[in-house]
Amino acid sequence: MVLAAAGSAVGLGNIWRFPTEVGNNGGAAFILIYLACVIFVGAPVMVSEFVIGRRTHANTITAFRRLAPGTWWSIGGVEGVLVAFIILSYYIVVSGWTLHYTVASFANQLTADHDFQQYFGDFVSHAWWPVVYALVFMLMTHVVVVRGVQGGIERFSKVMMPMLLLIIGVLVVCSFSMSGFREGLEFLLKPDFSKITPSVLLSAVGQAFFSLSLAMGCLCTYASYFGPDTNLVKTAFSVVTIDTVVAVLAGFIIFPAVFSVGVAPNEGAGLVFITLPSVFNIAFGHVPLIGYLFSGLFYVLLLLAALTSAISLHEPVTAYLHEEWHMPRRTAAWCVTIAASVLGVLCSLSMGPLADYPIFGMSLFDFFDFITAKVIMPLGGILICLFVGRRMDEEAVRAEVTNEGRLRIPIFRLYRFLIRWVAPLAIIAIFIRGLL
Ligand code: PHE
């Protein structure tokens, strides 16, 4: 179960979105704030989702209904399904880019004589290639969801995760041999606190929710399959640690490269796709075969990490239609796939042919990212804190966290305090200031 939850958490959020946010929000200071958000907000919210899921052994909406019958709290579940669906629709776009880079890598197209900024720009604004890749990725997700997640994907994430970590480790070493290594390190380690604005804080909370797969019923659903002996606090601790280590290491790969290649750290969504090929080329330029295999392997693993996350986004929506609307599972899965594909195509085109039709001054892609990570997820987080911290009976929460008293959890009181006061007040304050 730790692996399944970690498979959902570790994905493009760590390797693509985290460096993008670090670059947009000024580097080291953002990372510090992010770590604080993960510890004081993310981790307690994750334990709370586990509590809701295992207490009820049901999907999120039913879970809220069972714990608070006849109240409006089930909106917490509906919110989750909605966010999952919106994120899925733009997640497949970035996953499609990853798929393209996998293919390009094996076709030996990512060679040193490219201007990768131009390469990326040309690709994402192309009228149909990014759309094709996004749709292929969506179909891959669909097939796994329909066939059932358990056997295949889970067994295989046991191999995939350690391998991904190993490759990331090698890439960090490679990055450290690049010319921009000093500047990169400074950017990552030397905080400039004058850069912290309310909107930077909101970005950090949003990134923590996104990366840890919180506030959308996904971990809650996974926890409904936990056995009576799973230690919820320990599991949350493991998932949070793995997720954070991967994200921070991704930062250590990308930023030395950013300063070596000469792109701006706030380049945006393309940052990773522009700098990574350069890392491969600089590191392995003299041994092309190894470089070629290595970069191919990296993109394959990233693709699989994206797939396990996409599955965890698809599943709650499918389960919702299946259980609440009584659709056959297959039909439910097709409905989600088709609807998310349509929105995904629009998102993808919003960076190319539809770039002239912005929504609130943003592309549809950026708008979806904004509205989920910076609006709906923080609101969902507040809801979960209030629900577990104030609405649920304290003894029920204690029983769940301590496995009916069989575990000694010395930090239970700290957890209660975080979930009742620190996390909700912090999110509310950051949310209001950040949006203003
Ligand atoms: N956490 C995933 C990632 O980092 C994305 C995700 C968000 C998955 C929300 C499920 C729920 O890529």
Side-chain angles (χ1 to χ4, degrees), residues 76 116 127 246 377 433:
F116 289 114
V246 174
M377 281 177 143
R433 294 276 332 254

Side-chain angles (χ1 to χ4, degrees), residues 136-154:
V136 171
F137 182 84
M138 183 77 252
L139 275 182
M140 286 162 59
T141 311
H142 177 86
V143 169
V144 183
V145 171
V146 168
R147 294 243 167 115
V149 183
Q150 292 217 314
I153 278 282
E154 274 179 19

Side-chain angles (χ1 to χ4, degrees), residues 9 19 28 34 61 98 100 139 149 158 211 241 243 260 262 267 285 291 293 311 326 348 392 416:
Y34 173 75
I61 296 180
T98 311
H100 167 75
L139 275 182
V149 183
K158 264 187 215 159
S211 187
T241 308
D243 191 75
S260 311
E267 169 72 32
L293 289 176
I311 291 163
H326 306 292
S348 182
M392 270 180 83
R416 280 291 287 175

Side-chain angles (χ1 to χ4, degrees), residues 22 27-28 31 183-190 248 251-253 255-256:
V22 172
I31 298 184
E183 265 174 294
L185 222 53
E186 212 163 273
F187 186 74
L188 287 166
L189 297 178
K190 216 165 154 196
V248 171
F252 278 92
I253 300 173
F255 288 98

Side-chain angles (χ1 to χ4, degrees), residues 167-431:
I167 292 213
I168 288 178
V170 175
L171 286 178
V172 171
V173 177
C174 295
S175 257
F176 277 28
S177 60
M178 296 177 87
S179 60
F181 142 76
R182 253 170 206 292
E183 265 174 294
L185 222 53
E186 212 163 273
F187 186 74
L188 287 166
L189 297 178
K190 216 165 154 196
D192 171 1
F193 289 104
S194 66
K195 295 218 170 109
I196 297 179
T197 60
S199 107
V200 170
L201 295 176
L202 184 58
S203 301
V205 175
Q207 174 59 22
F209 278 111
F210 187 98
S211 187
L212 297 172
S213 303
L214 295 176
M216 45 142 291
C218 151
L219 293 186
C220 190
T221 311
Y222 279 15
S224 70
Y225 309 124
F226 284 0
D229 288 327
T230 305
N231 183 333
L232 300 186
V233 173
K234 222 165 145 187
T235 306
F237 184 79
S238 308
V239 175
V240 167
T241 308
I242 296 174
D243 191 75
T244 308
V245 167
V246 174
V248 171
L249 287 181
F252 278 92
I253 300 173
I254 303 300
F255 288 98
V258 163
F259 291 99
S260 311
V261 184
V263 284
N266 58 355
E267 169 72 32
L271 192 67
V272 171
F273 292 93
I274 294 165
T275 50
L276 263 180
S278 309
V279 179
F280 292 121
N281 277 308
I282 293 176
F284 296 110
H286 50 293
V287 270
L289 182 66
I290 296 186
Y292 163 82
L293 289 176
F294 198 86
S295 67
L297 188 59
F298 174 82
Y299 284 116
V300 167
L301 290 171
L302 184 56
L303 192 66
L304 294 175
L307 189 63
T308 50
S309 299
I311 291 163
S312 78
L313 288 162
H314 197 295
E315 177 61 31
V317 194
T318 303
Y320 169 72
L321 294 182
H322 174 55
E323 289 169 22
E324 293 282 317
W325 294 22
H326 306 292
M327 277 184 193
R329 220 187 119 82
R330 206 168 253 280
T331 318
W334 270 119
C335 287
V336 178
T337 298
I338 291 170
S341 298
V342 172
L343 277 188
V345 167
L346 291 176
C347 276
S348 182
L349 294 178
S350 76
M351 277 168 285
L354 298 182
D356 293 337
Y357 303 95
I359 297 179
F360 299 115
M362 296 176 237
S363 65
L364 185 65
F365 178 92
D366 288 332
F367 176 70
F368 276 180
D369 187 72
F370 171 83
I371 196 92
T372 48
K374 296 189 182 157
V375 181
I376 317 181
M377 281 177 143
L379 288 178
I382 297 172
L383 211 92
I384 288 167
C385 292
L386 296 181
F387 187 73
V388 176
R390 293 175 183 278
R391 163 78 209 209
M392 270 180 83
D393 176 32
E394 177 171 352
E395 283 319 304
V397 178
R398 186 193 300 277
E400 212 46 60
V401 172
T402 60
N403 291 357
E404 309 292 338
R406 275 172 286 126
L407 290 176
R408 247 181 51 81
I409 304 286
I411 57 167
F412 182 75
R413 288 172 69 98
L414 173 66
Y415 159 70
R416 280 291 287 175
F417 179 67
L418 290 177
I419 207 74
R420 280 170 63 83
W421 297 102
V422 179
L425 290 179
I427 310 174
I428 291 172
I430 291 173
F431 180 68

